[in-house]
Amino acid sequence: MTPMIEVADLWKVFGPRPERVVGSPLADLSRAELRERTGCVIAVRGVSFDVRPGEVFVVMGLSGSGKSTLVRCLTRLIEPTSGEIGIGGEPVRAMNPSRLRELRRRRVAMVFQHFGLLPHRSVLDNVAYGLEIQGRSRAERHRRAGETLALVGLEGHENQYPDQLSGGMQQRVGLARALATDPEVLLFDEPFSALDPLIRRDMQAEVRRLHGEVGKTLVFITHDLSEALSLGDRIAVLRDGALVQVGTPEELVGAPADSYVADFVRDVPRSDVLTLRWIMREPAPGERCEDEPLSQHTVIRDAVHRVLRAERPIPVVDGVRRVGVIDADRLLPALIGHHRQVPA
Amino acid sequence: MTATVPPPALRSGRVTPTAGEVAAVGRRRRPWRRLWAVVLGVVTVAAYVVFRTEGATEDGDAAAFRFFDGVRDWVDANRDSSPVFLYGINYVRLGVRLLVDAVQAALSGLGFAGLVAAITGLGVVLAGWRTGLLALGGFLAFAVLGLWEQSVDTLVLTVSAVLLSVAIGVPLGVLAARVRWVGAALRPVLDVMQILPTFAYLAPMTLLFLIGEPAAVIATMIYAVPATIRITALGIGEVSPSAVEAATALGSTRWQLLRKVRLPMARPTIVLAVNQTIMLALSMVVITALIDAPGLGQNIVSALQRVNVGAAFDAGLAIVILAVVLDRITTNAARRVRRSLSIRGGIGVGIAVVAAAFIPLGSADLPAYSFAAPVNDAVGWIELHWYDVTEGLKNGISAGVLDPLETVLVTSPWWLFVAAVAAFGTLISGWRAAAVAAPAAAGLAGLGLWQHSMQTLATVLVAIVLTMLIGVATGVVCARHDRLATALRPVLDAAQTMPSFVYLLPAVALFGASRFTAIVAAVIFAVPPVVRLVERGLRDVPPAVVEAARSAGSTPRQLLWKVQLPMARGGLLLAANQGIVMVLAMVVVGGLVGAGALGYDVVAGFSQRELFGQGLAAGLAIVLLGIVLDRLTQGFHDSKGPRR
Amino acid sequence: MRTLRTAATAALIASLAACGGATSGAGEESEPSAGPKGTVNLAINPWVGYEANAAVIAHLLEKELGYTVEKKELKEEIAWQGFETGEVDAIVENWGHADLKKTYIEQKKVAVDVGPTGNKGTIGWYVPQWMVDEHPDITDWNNLNKYAALFKTSESKGKGQFLAGDPSFVTNDAALVKNLKLDYTVVYSGSEAAIIKAAQQASAQKKPLLFYFYEPQWLFAKEKYVRVKLPAYKTGCDADPKKVACDYPDYVLDKIASKKFADANSTAYQLIKNFTWTNDDQNLVSDYITNQGMTPEKAAEKWAAEHEATWKPWIR
């Protein structure tokens, strides 16, 4: 399957004459030294990754790690310094302004941390904005905007103004605005970090639901690990502009690429993330097992009940092929392991 | 700083740092400055004593005068033949004439009842019922005062000038905010435009555009447009970047961004810009009566010529009413324009206006009342009973302060003055400001108007000292007594909307034709904003600091002198800077009533043919003097050049 | 009427744009200044005598001939500019101004002289009667320096003060002071009203005052002021304004009209052309305006009612 988004060796350097930094020994200097010598700061450092159609791809990092810059480079809201970007097989960096606008208007939409709503427009007109600048008729764009608002659960609020809504509702408007143009790709730049924790959880559920319903490709920026784990099909960890690791949540938790990632995932309850695949063992020769197998993709926690109640090890399967077995001896350390790692 | 609440600096049309920011800079005083100041002071005094001159008299025949006379003669000879005029300037004039006539046709076409209904409706729709009622009362008052036609004429000119300013200023403001080099190129131009005393460019206007409404409207536009540009640029610059980014991410073109995001989001600030433009235009339109603009200004000019304070009072009152009505409509509109206006309301008002236009009610049908007689009686009484006091005050200040200062300045050799400006300029405002001020000071000498410039300067200096003394004292009292401040606020509001011109009259009535008259008028003119800035500076002192000082046992006096005033230093110095520019403008207008010097040269320049060149040179000298004074005092609150 | 003019100006701009440049007078003439019920633009120069002339003419134009009159408060030089732009149709009391006549009548050909007003004008330096009583020789300019100290004020920089009027008035005072080596400073009061006020105070409170004044002037009927003899006027002695060292000439005050207005030869123009009256007539109307608390309109009405025989011949 061809990837939806391809990023190859992407660099973004801020400062005077940034192109000289890319790929030169200058790029190896420390941040402070580079700044001292050239006045430049590297925000994105040779990043490459692919995103598959329909995938939820999360980019995670601490503030200042370059993740917001990275996502803005995808549609050239920030012009990359070097590297290649392809969306739907088309090279983005080669696009002329009108082609680029077409891309932004029809194929890629974005949801922002600070919503970016237009305070002088009603909710309906905010959502219809993207259609309006495409030149759609008033009736058509209002109909479509109304549908999208219903999709995010905001029917009845069409004629209100953004400042009359709560933060969570405002971000739903932002979400509806992005969905209204029916893009193939949705980019989320820390969309929920300005919201209260409870509302954040609602919104995450909302995104999962929408993803299930409309099946877009999602690139999701966050600094919140639990958000990344709960949403991401795959997660890219960014540090100082460079990718440290790209993998599924369980790969990250199960096999952190380095101590930076390990530190990150240290507090994650492993049983919530890891699947049986990570703790199963080879069956002993001739060992008798339960009849009903468990999929190797079952999260540990979901298997606890069955494993602890079972009298014999339970076979673990990948589809129909048996790949291993799981029993209480293997399960318990994974459950406890988490507790041991809680900082004092 | 939110977009809807204008900082006071904006209200006077100048974008300047707030008192808080200023105080932060002011506190970092360098210890060597005081030493340098003393040394320079001593050197300057010594140089003066050694090199003092006789104070050469003006011979009325400097090269600059001849040059400007030559320009005038050329323009006169080529007005109807040079392509510059045939295809450029004369068309501008014609176009503006067309605009004025169209506005005039629209407003007078409504008739008395129709126009009153229209302004009331406009007030109701844009700004609510109270404002609508205010507008109704105000416009009816014009008729009661017997000044209906003049008020409409003034309104016509103001509206025309504002339309022109908005048409030019808003696009320029947008450009200034969006295109870096445009902003950088405009900044110094706007700086100079804002210190141009109104008086200085009437003569060049008549030279290019002849007398009449077009010249008046263009002069007014020049006076008002810097505020339009500045505040618009501010509003566009303040538009939330996240909204712009979001709209960009959806694929907006630059034009769509401007039209659908930036302009609508800056709309409250742009309405504020229009508000300021209206206020400035109104005060200038009155002065353009001197170049044959119709309206209330004519009444003031005529009252001035007849020293009829009462007649001027009526006209002044009408101007204040007009200013207040327009101000309330636009400021309240600025608060409400966030939402699109209800179309139905607009249609309703439109129908009402059309209906009212057919009501056969004329402005003459209302009962008439004039304040002329009672005001003149009061003035007469004061003249009779206070003669000794006013005369004593005038002679005392003139002989005791003004004359010695004038003598010192006039007898200083010009190079010493330039050197002093350069040295003290560097010390106070930094070398950048001095690099502008010193050549400007040298230019004064080059224009052949040295003596008159120094006389004007002396008058300005005395006036600014008086202004600061009165302004600071009042500001301090206001900051400490809430009830007084509340009572004084509407007075200050009215005083600030009154065109400078109006203040001449009471001063003339009390003090006759003299420099002191100009000083008094300048003080009355400049005190209100000074009071405002001082009061705000004091009130901006953090309550925690005041509390700490109190708990340490400070008496109210100690609190004022040791805590509040030092901390409000920025506000005080900003007030001095604003005050000095206003004082200069007024002292120059004082040329109409015997203040002499540059102001007289300007008046004589456009009323005596053979003095034209000298008048234009005097206008230029005023501008240069303004630049010197502004740059020197700018540094009071801004020693590191322009701050963003 | 304005709408009509707007349309006309628009049409004019369109036609000019089609065929070339715009002259300075363009767009002005469309306002009908001829024919019944037209508008006449009268300049109002800043002294009450002028206002008296204008008030009576305006009254007759409006009440007898049915015109509308627009009065424009303008200083002399600026009023003349109005002929060029079409803002002014007539000036009804002109004091000499040979240079302006040369520019606007001879060179630009936008104005015409329409004859004397009948008023004789004099300008001179005056002192109040009581000063002459006390110092009989003060009326000779040669003795002025002797008395300079008497005239000292806060504005006169240690010298004697010579009080002048509006900066726009016809004056040679600064040149006279310089060329006659007088120990005086010229101080401009800014208006006729300010001079009159000073003159009245000088009489009433016996304050010394040397001032610029002129006839016709209603004040001479109330108070006595004596003219100071300057070196006698000879033709041409005031040719160079910077070298003047002689007294002011006697003026035959006249009326000036814009060329367009004159060419239209309306009844309004005829009235202005025929208008002549005496200094006493003018002083009477000035007195009504200044001292009887009448508006110019009321004063003119009263005078017209009392002097029908004088104005009837103006209207034919």
Side-chain angles (χ1 to χ4, degrees):
Chain A
M1 192 166 16
T2 50
M4 191 70 212
I5 301 173
E6 302 161 86
V7 174
D9 196 22
L10 188 73
W11 288 77
K12 174 64 197 178
V13 182
F14 290 106
R17 295 200 293 120
E19 61 288 345
R20 70 195 148 136
V21 177
V22 176
S24 78
L26 285 172
D28 298 331
L29 295 173
S30 77
R31 201 183 180 80
E33 209 173 339
L34 180 69
R35 182 169 210 147
E36 177 78 11
R37 293 258 298 268
T38 64
C40 289
V41 175
I42 300 176
V44 176
R45 183 189 291 265
V47 167
S48 306
F49 60 86
D50 289 347
V51 181
R52 293 188 290 274
E55 187 182 20
V56 180
F57 186 84
V58 175
V59 179
M60 202 193 68
L62 299 174
S63 62
S65 61
K67 54 192 191 303
S68 285
T69 309
L70 174 63
V71 75
R72 280 169 174 72
C73 284
L74 296 182
T75 55
R76 286 168 57 193
L77 285 176
I78 291 176
E79 198 64 51
T81 309
S82 79
E84 293 306 322
I85 302 160
I87 292 184
E90 201 181 346
V92 173
R93 292 203 66 205
M95 289 178 177
N96 62 19
S98 72
R99 192 80 198 84
L100 182 63
R101 260 199 312 276
E102 276 309 297
L103 176 82
R104 291 173 182 168
R105 284 181 179 180
R106 300 185 192 277
R107 299 175 58 193
V108 183
M110 192 159 169
V111 179
F112 294 88
Q113 180 179 8
H114 297 294
F115 321 143
L117 300 180
L118 304 177
H120 57 284
R121 288 168 161 250
S122 67
V123 165
L124 191 68
D125 281 328
N126 261 290
V127 174
Y129 181 85
L131 300 162
E132 181 179 334
I133 60 174
Q134 291 178 15
R136 307 278 189 87
S137 76
R138 190 183 165 84
E140 185 195 346
R141 63 185 194 242
H142 276 182
R143 185 184 50 76
R144 173 81 187 124
E147 287 168 13
T148 324
L149 277 172
L151 192 65
V152 299
L154 276 181
E155 54 276 80
H157 295 281
E158 288 84 355
N159 294 320
Q160 287 183 301
Y161 283 82
D163 63 359
Q164 294 170 301
L165 302 180
S166 69
M169 286 162 91
Q170 289 191 35
Q171 194 56 296
R172 280 171 199 261
V173 177
L175 193 55
R177 177 176 62 185
L179 287 170
T181 55
D182 196 21
E184 299 155 38
V185 178
L186 280 171
L187 308 178
F188 290 82
D189 178 25
E190 302 209 36
F192 309 138
S193 56
L195 304 179
D196 291 339
L198 281 179
I199 298 177
R200 196 183 310 165
R201 224 162 50 202
D202 282 355
M203 292 300 291
Q204 287 162 3
E206 188 77 24
V207 168
R208 270 196 301 271
R209 181 178 69 79
L210 285 170
H211 184 242
E213 286 178 27
V214 297
K216 311 277 183 198
T217 306
L218 266 51
V219 176
F220 199 104
I221 307 293
T222 182
H223 64 259
D224 177 355
L225 181 69
S226 64
E227 187 168 86
L229 294 172
S230 83
L231 288 175
D233 291 330
R234 282 190 301 148
I235 298 171
V237 179
L238 210 57
R239 179 194 188 186
D240 286 344
L243 276 187
V244 182
Q245 186 174 11
V246 182
T248 60
E250 43 177 338
E251 281 168 353
L252 250 57
V253 175
D258 64 2
S259 61
Y260 180 75
V261 182
D263 245 16
F264 240 114
V265 298
R266 198 179 55 185
D267 298 342
V268 176
R270 299 162 69 84
S271 57
D272 288 2
V273 178
L274 294 187
T275 54
L276 298 182
R277 189 160 68 88
W278 293 89
I279 54 170
M280 65 189 180
R281 62 174 168 80
E282 289 297 310
E287 188 173 22
R288 284 202 56 196
C289 297
E290 294 283 314
D291 293 337
E292 189 78 3
L294 279 165
S295 160
Q296 67 164 348
H297 298 300
T298 312
V299 174
I300 295 172
R301 194 183 47 191
D302 298 342
V304 171
H305 265 281
R306 272 204 62 198
V307 174
L308 293 186
R309 270 189 292 123
E311 292 172 4
R312 291 188 287 270
I314 300 174
V316 176
V317 294
D318 179 14
V320 290
R321 195 169 52 89
R322 176 186 289 207
V323 289
V325 295
I326 180 79
D327 58 15
D329 290 345
R330 298 292 293 184
L331 190 76
L332 286 174
L335 289 177
I336 297 162
H338 159 63
H339 293 291
R340 210 178 44 224
Q341 287 174 4
V342 171
Chain B
M1 174 164 52
T2 60
T4 44
V5 182
L10 269 186
R11 292 202 51 99
S12 59
R14 293 164 64 83
V15 179
T16 22
T18 65
E21 288 175 289
V22 164
V25 179
R27 249 174 269 126
R28 278 185 266 118
R29 224 182 309 166
R30 278 152 286 177
W32 49 264
R33 285 242 299 233
R34 189 166 296 180
L35 178 69
W36 270 111
V38 172
V39 170
L40 274 177
V42 170
V43 170
T44 310
V45 169
Y48 169 72
V49 170
V50 175
F51 296 106
R52 180 167 41 170
T53 65
E54 284 300 304
T57 49
E58 241 83 277
D59 60 355
D61 191 34
F65 307 171
R66 283 198 302 275
F67 171 76
F68 286 123
D69 275 334
V71 171
R72 193 265 320 267
D73 291 343
W74 184 88
V75 170
D76 265 354
N78 293 283
R79 196 189 300 287
D80 289 336
S81 55
S82 159
V84 177
F85 279 89
L86 281 182
Y87 298 100
I89 290 169
N90 292 350
Y91 269 117
V92 172
R93 176 160 189 275
L94 225 52
V96 176
R97 149 83 59 210
L98 192 66
L99 174 72
V100 175
D101 284 351
V103 174
Q104 171 92 41
L107 293 192
S108 0
L110 289 171
F112 171 69
L115 186 52
V116 171
I119 194 80
T120 310
L122 208 62
V124 171
V125 171
L126 288 176
W129 279 107
R130 282 166 177 230
T131 311
L133 283 178
L134 180 80
L136 175 68
F139 270 55
L140 288 179
F142 298 149
V144 172
L145 287 169
L147 294 168
W148 173 255
E149 272 155 34
Q150 291 88 332
S151 303
V152 172
D153 282 340
T154 295
L155 183 63
V156 166
L157 289 182
T158 309
V159 169
S160 307
V162 169
L163 287 177
L164 213 55
S165 303
V166 168
I168 294 171
V170 170
L172 274 180
V174 172
L175 276 180
R178 297 295 308 141
V179 185
R180 188 180 305 228
W181 68 264
V182 174
L186 271 179
R187 196 170 304 121
V189 176
L190 297 182
D191 277 349
V192 172
M193 280 173 86
Q194 290 194 316
I195 51 175
L196 272 186
T198 51
F199 231 47
Y201 52 89
L202 288 182
M205 282 298 116
T206 61
L207 182 64
L208 291 178
F209 300 106
L210 301 165
I211 59 167
E213 287 132 324
V217 168
I218 293 168
T220 306
M221 187 272 286
I222 293 177
Y223 181 66
V225 83
T228 328
I229 298 176
R230 284 229 145 119
I231 304 176
T232 302
L234 189 75
I236 294 287
E238 275 178 350
V239 167
S240 134
S242 63
V244 172
E245 186 175 43
T248 315
L250 284 163
S252 309
T253 59
R254 282 169 71 98
W255 175 241
Q256 284 171 331
L257 273 184
L258 181 65
R259 206 162 52 89
K260 294 178 185 286
V261 180
R262 289 207 169 94
L263 282 178
M265 286 184 75
R267 193 155 74 176
T269 316
I270 292 176
V271 174
L272 180 70
V274 173
N275 168 273
Q276 287 301 295
T277 310
I278 291 174
M279 293 300 110
L280 290 168
L282 195 53
S283 66
M284 183 68 198
V285 155
V286 175
I287 294 177
T288 56
L290 289 174
I291 53 172
D292 190 29
L296 294 164
Q298 293 265 349
N299 294 58
I300 306 244
V301 170
S302 132
L304 204 54
Q305 253 133 25
R306 291 161 187 76
V307 197
N308 185 342
V309 183
F313 187 90
D314 282 349
L317 187 64
I319 292 164
V320 170
I321 291 173
L322 188 56
V324 168
V325 169
L326 295 178
D327 179 55
R328 289 297 129 75
I329 290 181
T330 44
T331 42
N332 289 336
R335 269 181 222 133
R336 297 165 58 122
V337 285
R338 271 266 332 267
R339 307 286 141 75
S340 344
L341 300 163
S342 94
I343 296 172
R344 235 176 301 155
I347 294 173
V349 168
I351 293 170
V353 169
V354 172
F358 290 99
I359 299 175
L361 179 70
S363 60
D365 297 339
L366 289 172
Y369 184 78
S370 165
F371 290 93
V375 170
N376 280 338
D377 287 347
V379 171
W381 187 87
I382 294 174
E383 276 176 48
L384 196 64
H385 291 86
W386 287 14
Y387 181 79
D388 291 333
V389 179
T390 55
E391 200 67 359
L393 198 58
K394 173 172 86 177
N395 290 338
I397 298 227
S398 297
V401 184
L402 197 48
D403 286 340
L405 183 61
E406 200 176 295
T407 310
V408 168
L409 286 172
V410 168
T411 55
S412 297
W414 68 268
W415 54 263
L416 179 62
F417 179 75
V418 174
V421 166
F424 285 100
T426 312
L427 201 64
I428 301 170
S429 311
W431 64 269
R432 267 172 223 271
V436 176
L444 287 177
L447 283 172
L449 283 164
W450 184 249
Q451 192 183 5
H452 285 182
S453 303
M454 289 303 108
Q455 284 165 353
T456 298
L457 179 60
T459 314
V460 168
L461 291 178
V462 173
I464 188 66
V465 168
L466 288 176
T467 302
M468 287 307 286
L469 286 179
I470 297 172
V472 172
T474 318
V476 166
V477 174
C478 279
R480 295 161 76 89
H481 301 280
D482 288 339
R483 220 177 293 165
L484 182 70
T486 320
L488 217 53
R489 199 159 298 138
V491 178
L492 293 179
D493 274 340
Q496 277 191 283
T497 45
M498 194 98 83
S500 55
F501 223 41
V502 178
Y503 293 119
L504 283 180
L505 256 143
V508 171
L510 291 180
F511 299 103
S514 67
R515 289 165 299 168
F516 189 68
T517 303
I519 291 179
V520 170
V523 170
I524 305 176
F525 181 52
V527 156
V530 170
V531 171
R532 281 243 156 96
L533 287 169
V534 170
E535 185 190 343
R536 200 173 76 108
L538 287 176
R539 286 185 186 272
D540 277 354
V541 171
V545 178
V546 176
E547 206 168 29
R550 274 226 185 87
S551 74
S554 309
T555 63
R557 178 183 295 268
Q558 287 169 328
L559 187 67
L560 179 68
W561 286 103
K562 294 187 186 296
V563 178
Q564 287 172 315
L565 280 181
M567 288 191 72
R569 183 168 171 267
L572 296 179
L573 298 175
L574 181 61
N577 176 257
Q578 303 241 321
I580 208 161
V581 174
M582 295 180 74
V583 161
L584 174 66
M586 196 67 210
V587 163
V588 169
V589 177
L592 281 176
V593 292
L598 293 180
Y600 165 75
D601 292 335
V602 170
V603 181
F606 60 78
S607 45
Q608 295 275 19
R609 198 171 169 74
E610 67 267 24
L611 295 178
F612 182 87
Q614 180 166 0
L616 223 53
L620 196 55
I622 293 164
V623 175
L624 292 176
L625 203 55
I627 293 175
V628 171
L629 290 171
D630 179 62
R631 287 296 122 181
L632 286 189
T633 50
Q634 192 107 80
F636 278 177
H637 59 73
D638 188 354
S639 56
K640 290 217 165 111
R643 289 150 50 91
R644 310 258 161 83
Chain C
M1 183 161 314
R2 281 284 192 165
T3 345
L4 200 142
R5 178 166 148 188
T6 308
T9 320
L12 192 75
I13 287 198
S15 65
L16 286 170
C19 65
T23 56
S24 53
E28 303 294 347
E29 71 269 51
S30 42
E31 191 157 13
S33 52
K37 306 279 180 200
T39 299
V40 179
N41 294 302
L42 286 185
I44 306 292
N45 289 168
W47 59 91
V48 67
Y50 184 109
E51 203 170 356
N53 287 24
V56 168
I57 290 175
H59 174 76
L60 295 175
L61 282 172
E62 290 191 325
K63 294 287 142 53
E64 300 296 325
L65 301 179
Y67 284 87
T68 311
V69 176
E70 288 238 1
K71 292 182 177 179
K72 306 196 165 192
E73 298 276 347
L74 296 173
K75 295 181 189 282
E76 291 156 81
E77 159 98 27
I78 297 174
W80 279 81
Q81 290 179 27
F83 291 138
E84 191 175 5
T85 64
E87 309 266 338
V88 172
D89 289 325
I91 292 174
V92 295
E93 180 178 305
N94 173 60
W95 290 65
H97 286 301
D99 57 334
L100 294 173
K101 283 183 175 168
K102 193 172 156 218
T103 307
Y104 290 97
I105 296 182
E106 289 171 29
Q107 291 169 356
K108 301 196 172 203
K109 299 196 177 17
V110 292
V112 289
D113 193 326
V114 283
T117 65
N119 293 135
K120 300 281 170 286
T122 52
I123 298 177
W125 290 15
Y126 291 82
V127 289
Q129 178 67 42
W130 70 264
M131 293 196 80
V132 182
D133 296 341
E134 285 184 17
H135 316 282
D137 61 348
I138 201 170
T139 57
D140 184 343
W141 71 271
N142 287 302
N143 301 323
L144 281 179
N145 279 348
K146 190 165 80 182
Y147 296 108
L150 280 179
F151 297 104
K152 226 192 259 185
T153 71
S154 72
E155 300 309 298
S156 61
K157 306 183 171 56
K159 303 176 181 177
Q161 169 179 285
F162 174 83
L163 190 70
D166 186 308
S168 69
F169 287 170
V170 175
T171 68
N172 301 322
D173 304 327
L176 281 167
V177 164
K178 190 172 162 214
N179 297 331
L180 298 177
K181 304 201 166 43
L182 296 177
D183 203 9
Y184 283 79
T185 305
V186 180
V187 173
Y188 291 86
S189 65
S191 64
E192 177 187 53
I195 309 184
I196 291 178
K197 197 180 225 175
Q200 285 173 321
Q201 275 177 357
S203 292
Q205 301 171 6
K206 291 211 161 190
K207 290 207 311 182
L209 184 71
L210 175 65
F211 61 107
Y212 171 98
F213 220 32
Y214 41 85
E215 282 186 87
Q217 172 57 261
W218 60 267
L219 185 60
F220 286 111
K222 316 251 165 185
E223 301 280 353
K224 283 249 171 294
Y225 301 96
V226 184
R227 190 165 168 183
V228 174
K229 288 186 199 65
L230 297 172
Y233 176 82
K234 286 189 208 74
T235 312
C237 74
D238 58 354
D240 182 348
K242 297 207 165 78
K243 295 194 179 132
V244 179
C246 59
D247 208 343
Y248 292 89
D250 287 339
Y251 292 89
V252 174
L253 306 186
D254 52 4
K255 298 155 293 186
I256 314 290
S258 90
K259 185 90 168 32
K260 276 176 206 138
F261 182 65
D263 287 350
N265 200 22
S266 59
T267 50
Y269 170 70
Q270 288 296 335
L271 166 64
I272 291 173
K273 191 174 165 211
N274 295 332
F275 170 89
T276 60
W277 65 355
T278 63
N279 284 14
D280 287 343
D281 286 322
Q282 194 195 67
N283 285 340
L284 182 59
V285 178
S286 301
D287 185 51
Y288 287 164
I289 296 173
T290 317
N291 301 314
Q292 318 273 328
M294 286 185 218
T295 63
E297 292 75 26
K298 279 266 178 316
E301 195 182 333
K302 182 168 157 71
W303 182 88
E306 291 162 356
H307 298 78
E308 201 171 324
T310 314
W311 59 262
K312 266 291 178 208
W314 304 344
I315 303 171
R316 267 177 250 152

